[in-house]
Amino acid sequence: MVEVLEHYNIGQSNFKIVLAVPKLVKKAKPGQFVVLRVSENGERIPMSIADMDREAGTLTVIYQVIGKTTALLATVKPGEYIMDCVGPLGNPSHVDKKGKYMVIGGGIGIAPIHPVAQKARENGNEVYGIIGARTKELIFFEDEMRKACNRLYICTDDGSYGEKGFVSNVLQRLIDEGDKPDFILAIGPVPMMKAVCETTRPYSIPTWVSVNPIMIDGTGMCGACRVSVGGVTKFGCVDGPDFDGHLLDFDLLTSRLRMYIPQEREAMKKFQEEVHTPYVGPKS
Ligand SMILES: Cc1cc2nc3c(=O)[nH]c(=O)nc-3n(C[C@H](O)[C@H](O)[C@H](O)COP(=O)(O)OP(=O)(O)OC[C@H]3O[C@@H](n4cnc5c(N)ncnc54)[C@H](O)[C@@H]3O)c2cc1C
Ligand code: FES
């Protein structure tokens, strides 16, 4: 059982949860993920590491309520326990010295780029970040990202905060101004990661993305998370989650993510019919 130390809403359906997992955070590295189970018979949901404090033994996850299990997670109060938190899983991100190291986070993808930016800067890179979301309310970690990056650019689709437009528009502007990164790690919704890769392809800027295929065990046993990279089948959980975005088959990733939509809708409908008290606690 894992104790929930903090848990609160950070805008619309996004939540921040802090878990007491001292052994796990001792080993965890930026770019890795964990698999959570809320209850004994519950689904296993992969979540990226958004922050960790090795001294306090805590791990932070930022998640969006999107279906049954994330809705169930949102009912857990600080001081209560979830079933388990397995990890760290997957490979750490490439944070060695590249020079101008750009991190791009879209929506909930802002969370996993945060520890990567911290580590890349610690390793001597000039780190610049672009974070974007649909609207102002969905931008989070602004202060944390300002600390982690040498420079930070913010944009929203509706122009309610920062520049108006997509993260790929900001990236194109910087390239046009001669500010070309040596390496990019982009994390966010699949169309966003694809747009970033198409922006950088003509300039041959190495661009890696973190994939989010459906995962079950997270340890290479089930094959659910398979993706195609340069025509070769890879497993998101053990070969990734980061891959060269110029080689990734984004269309296959999208279609595989949609495979269980009818079942997911049915599970959410049943969950909503039951009596649950969503925990939308204040920031404590
Ligand atoms: C490596 C990795 C890291 C992730 N990190 C985060 C994170 O930091 N924050 C966050 O909000 N989300 C993250 N996700 C996505 C998250 O796991 C799903 O949103 C969650 O599993 C949805 O479960 P559900 O029951 O609430 O929704 P469901 O109704 O079951 O599914 C809704 C949608 O979520 C996706 N999904 C469903 N089950 C899984 C699964 N087992 N694995 C992956 N995707 C699934 C599918 O696209 C599906 O259509 C990550 C996924 C991966 C693979
Ligand atoms: S989640 Fe089962 S092989 Fe990757």
Side-chain angles (χ1 to χ4, degrees), residues 32-271:
Q32 292 186 294
F33 64 94
V34 295
V35 170
L36 305 181
R37 238 179 355 143
V38 184
S39 59
E40 195 171 357
N41 300 318
E43 188 188 23
R44 298 158 58 84
I45 51 166
M47 289 288 160
S48 306
I49 296 172
D51 206 355
M52 43 192 165
D53 183 334
R54 291 204 173 90
E55 266 177 38
T58 61
L59 173 92
T60 301
V61 163
I62 306 283
Y63 71 94
Q64 182 184 15
V65 171
I66 194 171
K68 180 189 166 180
T69 307
T70 44
L72 182 64
L73 183 59
T75 65
V76 182
K77 298 182 180 68
E80 293 183 342
Y81 291 78
I82 60 166
M83 193 63 207
D84 48 46
C85 172
V86 176
L89 300 170
N91 298 294
S93 297
H94 298 295
V95 284
D96 51 313
K97 187 114 189 238
K98 309 276 188 198
K100 278 187 175 182
Y101 190 118
M102 181 183 276
V103 288
I104 304 181
I108 214 79
I110 298 169
I113 60 157
H114 168 244
V116 173
Q118 283 178 319
K119 194 70 193 169
R121 191 166 179 189
E122 209 179 294
N123 288 349
N125 289 287
E126 183 196 344
V127 177
Y128 49 139
I130 305 177
I131 57 174
R134 283 201 319 276
T135 190
K136 183 180 180 186
E137 221 191 330
L138 294 174
I139 296 283
F140 58 89
F141 269 14
E142 179 179 347
D143 293 346
E144 288 85 344
M145 285 299 290
R146 284 205 191 281
K147 269 188 215 144
C149 299
N150 298 82
R151 279 185 282 156
L152 182 70
Y153 301 88
I154 301 178
C155 59
T156 47
D157 298 2
D158 63 2
S160 53
Y161 195 55
E163 293 179 43
K164 185 176 189 317
F166 301 129
V167 289
S168 48
N169 301 133
V170 180
L171 169 64
Q172 184 68 64
R173 177 175 66 72
L174 292 171
I175 295 172
D176 292 343
E177 289 168 6
D179 204 356
K180 201 172 132 207
D182 296 308
F183 180 85
I184 298 179
L185 177 68
I187 310 182
V190 178
M192 178 225 111
M193 295 193 289
K194 190 175 175 185
V196 166
C197 293
E198 289 319 313
T199 306
T200 57
R201 197 187 294 279
Y203 307 96
S204 303
I205 300 168
T207 306
W208 283 57
V209 296
S210 180
V211 296
N212 57 345
I214 290 187
M215 291 187 182
I216 297 171
D217 59 302
T219 58
M221 305 290 284
C222 69
C225 65
R226 63 185 182 275
V227 291
S228 178
V229 184
V232 179
T233 297
K234 300 272 183 189
F235 287 175
C237 64
V238 287
D239 299 318
D242 296 359
F243 292 104
D244 182 338
H246 291 154
L247 299 178
L248 183 76
D249 185 338
F250 283 101
D251 296 336
L252 181 67
L253 176 63
T254 305
S255 68
R256 288 187 58 78
L257 273 168
R258 292 186 182 144
M259 271 168 61
Y260 301 105
I261 284 178
Q263 290 88 340
E264 288 157 2
R265 285 204 181 125
E266 187 58 30
M268 188 57 171
K269 192 167 159 265
K270 280 197 188 133
F271 178 82

